[in-house]
Amino acid sequence: MADETWSGEFYCVKCKEKREAEGRVVETNGRRMAKGVCPVCGTNLNRILGKA
């Protein structure tokens, strides 16, 4: 699988708000997840994506 990116809304736990960000897609235990960084506070963001 090529280095896939995903951009959209993540929920930042630290800010307690939804943020627009871009992240890379990783697959763990058959689940696709996007991992990004909050543009405001720099916290790591995760978003579980649907199965492809």
Side-chain angles (χ1 to χ4, degrees):
M1 183 166 84
D3 225 14
E4 197 181 344
T5 58
W6 186 85
S7 62
E9 277 194 342
F10 289 86
Y11 179 77
C12 181
V13 181
K14 204 170 185 180
C15 298
K16 295 189 170 82
E17 280 184 45
K18 287 186 178 182
R19 301 275 185 222
E20 281 290 321
E22 194 170 303
R24 58 184 174 78
V25 175
V26 293
E27 203 164 311
T28 314
N29 296 336
R31 283 207 170 140
R32 292 176 69 228
M33 278 173 58
K35 293 189 176 215
V37 177
C38 179
V40 177
C41 67
T43 305
N44 288 330
L45 303 173
N46 290 313
R47 178 172 175 137
I48 295 171
L49 306 172
K51 291 182 181 176

